[in-house]
Short mmCIF file of all heavy atoms in Angstrom, two decimals:
data_model
loop_
_atom_site.label_atom_id
_atom_site.label_comp_id
_atom_site.label_asym_id
_atom_site.label_seq_id
_atom_site.Cartn_x
_atom_site.Cartn_y
_atom_site.Cartn_z
N ASP O 179 10.46 -11.82 -3.11
CA ASP O 179 11.66 -11.67 -3.94
C ASP O 179 12.93 -11.38 -3.13
O ASP O 179 14.02 -11.80 -3.52
CB ASP O 179 11.47 -10.54 -4.95
CG ASP O 179 10.45 -10.87 -6.03
OD1 ASP O 179 9.84 -11.96 -5.94
OD2 ASP O 179 10.26 -10.05 -6.94
N ILE O 180 12.78 -10.65 -2.03
CA ILE O 180 13.96 -10.22 -1.28
C ILE O 180 14.17 -11.05 -0.02
O ILE O 180 15.26 -11.59 0.20
CB ILE O 180 13.85 -8.72 -0.91
CG1 ILE O 180 13.83 -7.87 -2.19
CG2 ILE O 180 15.01 -8.30 -0.02
CD1 ILE O 180 13.60 -6.40 -1.94
N ILE O 181 13.14 -11.17 0.81
CA ILE O 181 13.29 -11.92 2.06
C ILE O 181 13.26 -13.42 1.81
O ILE O 181 14.05 -14.17 2.39
CB ILE O 181 12.19 -11.51 3.06
CG1 ILE O 181 12.26 -10.01 3.35
CG2 ILE O 181 12.33 -12.32 4.36
CD1 ILE O 181 11.13 -9.49 4.22
N GLN O 182 12.35 -13.85 0.94
CA GLN O 182 12.20 -15.27 0.60
C GLN O 182 12.10 -16.14 1.86
O GLN O 182 12.94 -17.03 2.09
CB GLN O 182 13.38 -15.73 -0.27
CG GLN O 182 13.47 -14.99 -1.59
CD GLN O 182 14.64 -15.44 -2.45
OE1 GLN O 182 15.46 -16.25 -2.03
NE2 GLN O 182 14.72 -14.93 -3.66
N PRO O 183 11.07 -15.92 2.67
CA PRO O 183 10.96 -16.66 3.93
C PRO O 183 10.63 -18.13 3.71
O PRO O 183 10.07 -18.51 2.68
CB PRO O 183 9.80 -15.94 4.63
CG PRO O 183 8.96 -15.39 3.52
CD PRO O 183 9.93 -15.00 2.45
N THR O 184 10.98 -18.92 4.70
CA THR O 184 10.66 -20.35 4.65
C THR O 184 9.20 -20.60 4.97
O THR O 184 8.63 -21.63 4.61
CB THR O 184 11.54 -21.13 5.62
OG1 THR O 184 11.36 -20.60 6.94
CG2 THR O 184 13.01 -20.99 5.25
N VAL O 185 8.58 -19.66 5.67
CA VAL O 185 7.15 -19.73 6.01
C VAL O 185 6.36 -18.95 4.96
O VAL O 185 6.71 -17.81 4.65
CB VAL O 185 6.89 -19.14 7.41
CG1 VAL O 185 5.40 -19.24 7.75
CG2 VAL O 185 7.74 -19.84 8.45
N LYS O 186 5.34 -19.54 4.41
CA LYS O 186 4.54 -18.89 3.38
C LYS O 186 3.96 -17.58 3.91
O LYS O 186 3.32 -17.56 4.96
CB LYS O 186 3.40 -19.80 2.92
CG LYS O 186 2.60 -19.21 1.76
CD LYS O 186 1.52 -20.17 1.29
CE LYS O 186 0.71 -19.57 0.15
NZ LYS O 186 -0.34 -20.50 -0.34
N PRO O 187 4.18 -16.45 3.21
CA PRO O 187 3.66 -15.17 3.69
C PRO O 187 2.14 -15.12 3.64
O PRO O 187 1.51 -15.71 2.77
CB PRO O 187 4.29 -14.15 2.74
CG PRO O 187 4.63 -14.93 1.52
CD PRO O 187 4.96 -16.32 1.98
N GLN O 188 1.58 -14.41 4.59
CA GLN O 188 0.13 -14.23 4.65
C GLN O 188 -0.28 -13.04 3.78
O GLN O 188 0.43 -12.04 3.72
CB GLN O 188 -0.32 -13.99 6.09
CG GLN O 188 0.00 -15.15 7.03
CD GLN O 188 -0.72 -16.42 6.61
OE1 GLN O 188 -1.94 -16.47 6.54
NE2 GLN O 188 0.06 -17.46 6.30
N VAL O 189 -1.42 -13.16 3.13
CA VAL O 189 -1.90 -12.13 2.22
C VAL O 189 -3.21 -11.57 2.75
O VAL O 189 -4.09 -12.32 3.19
CB VAL O 189 -2.11 -12.69 0.80
CG1 VAL O 189 -2.58 -11.60 -0.15
CG2 VAL O 189 -0.82 -13.32 0.28
N TYR O 190 -3.37 -10.23 2.68
CA TYR O 190 -4.55 -9.57 3.22
C TYR O 190 -5.15 -8.64 2.17
O TYR O 190 -4.45 -8.12 1.30
CB TYR O 190 -4.19 -8.79 4.49
CG TYR O 190 -3.65 -9.69 5.58
CD1 TYR O 190 -2.28 -9.93 5.69
CD2 TYR O 190 -4.50 -10.31 6.49
CE1 TYR O 190 -1.78 -10.78 6.67
CE2 TYR O 190 -4.00 -11.15 7.47
CZ TYR O 190 -2.64 -11.39 7.56
OH TYR O 190 -2.15 -12.23 8.53
N ASN O 191 -6.45 -8.43 2.29
CA ASN O 191 -7.14 -7.57 1.32
C ASN O 191 -6.77 -6.10 1.49
O ASN O 191 -6.89 -5.31 0.54
CB ASN O 191 -8.66 -7.72 1.45
CG ASN O 191 -9.13 -9.07 0.97
OD1 ASN O 191 -8.55 -9.65 0.05
ND2 ASN O 191 -10.17 -9.60 1.60
N SER O 192 -6.34 -5.70 2.68
CA SER O 192 -5.98 -4.31 2.94
C SER O 192 -4.90 -4.25 4.01
O SER O 192 -4.70 -5.22 4.75
CB SER O 192 -7.21 -3.51 3.39
OG SER O 192 -7.61 -3.92 4.69
N ASN O 193 -4.24 -3.11 4.09
CA ASN O 193 -3.26 -2.92 5.14
C ASN O 193 -3.92 -2.89 6.52
O ASN O 193 -3.31 -3.25 7.52
CB ASN O 193 -2.45 -1.65 4.92
CG ASN O 193 -1.17 -1.90 4.14
OD1 ASN O 193 -0.74 -3.04 3.99
ND2 ASN O 193 -0.57 -0.85 3.63
N ASP O 194 -5.16 -2.43 6.57
CA ASP O 194 -5.88 -2.43 7.85
C ASP O 194 -6.06 -3.86 8.36
O ASP O 194 -5.88 -4.12 9.56
CB ASP O 194 -7.25 -1.75 7.69
CG ASP O 194 -7.15 -0.24 7.63
OD1 ASP O 194 -6.11 0.31 8.08
OD2 ASP O 194 -8.08 0.40 7.13
N ASP O 195 -6.41 -4.78 7.46
CA ASP O 195 -6.55 -6.18 7.86
C ASP O 195 -5.21 -6.75 8.32
O ASP O 195 -5.13 -7.48 9.31
CB ASP O 195 -7.09 -7.01 6.70
CG ASP O 195 -8.54 -6.70 6.37
OD1 ASP O 195 -9.23 -6.11 7.23
OD2 ASP O 195 -8.98 -7.05 5.25
N ALA O 196 -4.17 -6.40 7.59
CA ALA O 196 -2.83 -6.90 7.94
C ALA O 196 -2.38 -6.32 9.28
O ALA O 196 -1.76 -7.02 10.10
CB ALA O 196 -1.84 -6.52 6.85
N LYS O 197 -2.70 -5.07 9.52
CA LYS O 197 -2.33 -4.41 10.78
C LYS O 197 -3.03 -5.08 11.96
O LYS O 197 -2.43 -5.27 13.02
CB LYS O 197 -2.69 -2.92 10.70
CG LYS O 197 -2.17 -2.10 11.86
CD LYS O 197 -2.34 -0.60 11.58
CE LYS O 197 -3.80 -0.22 11.44
NZ LYS O 197 -3.97 1.24 11.26
N LYS O 198 -4.30 -5.45 11.75
CA LYS O 198 -5.03 -6.14 12.81
C LYS O 198 -4.39 -7.50 13.12
O LYS O 198 -4.31 -7.90 14.28
CB LYS O 198 -6.50 -6.32 12.40
CG LYS O 198 -7.31 -5.03 12.38
CD LYS O 198 -8.72 -5.27 11.88
CE LYS O 198 -9.50 -3.97 11.78
NZ LYS O 198 -10.85 -4.18 11.21
N ALA O 199 -3.95 -8.19 12.07
CA ALA O 199 -3.28 -9.48 12.27
C ALA O 199 -1.99 -9.30 13.06
O ALA O 199 -1.66 -10.12 13.93
CB ALA O 199 -2.99 -10.13 10.92
N LEU O 200 -1.28 -8.22 12.79
CA LEU O 200 -0.06 -7.92 13.54
C LEU O 200 -0.39 -7.64 15.00
O LEU O 200 0.27 -8.16 15.91
CB LEU O 200 0.65 -6.72 12.92
CG LEU O 200 1.99 -6.32 13.55
CD1 LEU O 200 3.04 -7.40 13.28
CD2 LEU O 200 2.45 -4.97 13.00
N GLN O 201 -1.43 -6.86 15.23
CA GLN O 201 -1.85 -6.54 16.60
C GLN O 201 -2.28 -7.78 17.37
O GLN O 201 -2.04 -7.90 18.57
CB GLN O 201 -3.01 -5.54 16.58
CG GLN O 201 -2.62 -4.12 16.23
CD GLN O 201 -3.83 -3.19 16.24
OE1 GLN O 201 -4.58 -3.12 15.27
NE2 GLN O 201 -4.02 -2.51 17.34
N ASN O 202 -2.92 -8.71 16.66
CA ASN O 202 -3.44 -9.92 17.30
C ASN O 202 -2.38 -11.01 17.47
O ASN O 202 -2.69 -12.11 17.94
CB ASN O 202 -4.62 -10.47 16.49
CG ASN O 202 -5.81 -9.55 16.50
OD1 ASN O 202 -5.98 -8.74 17.42
ND2 ASN O 202 -6.65 -9.64 15.48
N GLY O 203 -1.15 -10.71 17.08
CA GLY O 203 -0.08 -11.68 17.24
C GLY O 203 -0.06 -12.78 16.21
O GLY O 203 0.63 -13.79 16.38
N GLN O 204 -0.80 -12.59 15.11
CA GLN O 204 -0.84 -13.60 14.05
C GLN O 204 0.34 -13.49 13.10
O GLN O 204 0.56 -14.38 12.29
CB GLN O 204 -2.16 -13.48 13.27
CG GLN O 204 -3.39 -13.74 14.13
CD GLN O 204 -4.67 -13.38 13.41
OE1 GLN O 204 -4.81 -12.29 12.85
NE2 GLN O 204 -5.62 -14.31 13.40
N LEU O 205 1.08 -12.39 13.18
CA LEU O 205 2.25 -12.16 12.34
C LEU O 205 3.45 -11.78 13.19
O LEU O 205 3.30 -11.11 14.22
CB LEU O 205 1.98 -11.01 11.34
CG LEU O 205 0.93 -11.23 10.25
CD1 LEU O 205 0.73 -9.93 9.48
CD2 LEU O 205 1.35 -12.35 9.31
N ASP O 206 4.61 -12.19 12.73
CA ASP O 206 5.84 -11.70 13.35
C ASP O 206 6.18 -10.31 12.82
O ASP O 206 6.77 -9.49 13.54
CB ASP O 206 7.01 -12.64 13.04
CG ASP O 206 6.82 -14.02 13.64
OD1 ASP O 206 6.37 -14.09 14.81
OD2 ASP O 206 7.10 -15.02 12.95
N GLY O 207 5.82 -10.08 11.57
CA GLY O 207 6.12 -8.79 10.97
C GLY O 207 5.23 -8.48 9.79
O GLY O 207 4.70 -9.38 9.13
N LEU O 208 5.05 -7.21 9.51
CA LEU O 208 4.22 -6.73 8.42
C LEU O 208 5.09 -5.89 7.50
O LEU O 208 5.84 -5.03 7.96
CB LEU O 208 3.07 -5.88 8.97
CG LEU O 208 2.19 -5.11 7.99
CD1 LEU O 208 1.47 -6.08 7.06
CD2 LEU O 208 1.18 -4.25 8.75
N VAL O 209 5.01 -6.14 6.19
CA VAL O 209 5.78 -5.36 5.23
C VAL O 209 4.87 -4.34 4.55
O VAL O 209 3.82 -4.70 4.00
CB VAL O 209 6.44 -6.27 4.18
CG1 VAL O 209 7.20 -5.44 3.13
CG2 VAL O 209 7.41 -7.24 4.86
N VAL O 210 5.27 -3.08 4.64
CA VAL O 210 4.53 -1.95 4.06
C VAL O 210 5.55 -0.96 3.52
O VAL O 210 6.75 -1.09 3.76
CB VAL O 210 3.63 -1.24 5.10
CG1 VAL O 210 2.50 -2.14 5.56
CG2 VAL O 210 4.46 -0.78 6.30
#
Side-chain angles (χ1 to χ4, degrees):
D179 291 4
I180 296 175
I181 301 174
Q182 298 180 354
T184 57
V185 180
K186 184 177 179 179
Q188 299 298 300
V189 182
Y190 299 91
N191 291 327
S192 69
N193 268 345
D194 284 340
D195 290 342
K197 188 170 63 176
K198 289 176 184 177
L200 183 68
Q201 285 180 278
N202 294 335
Q204 297 170 310
L205 293 174
D206 296 318
L208 171 62
V209 177
V210 293

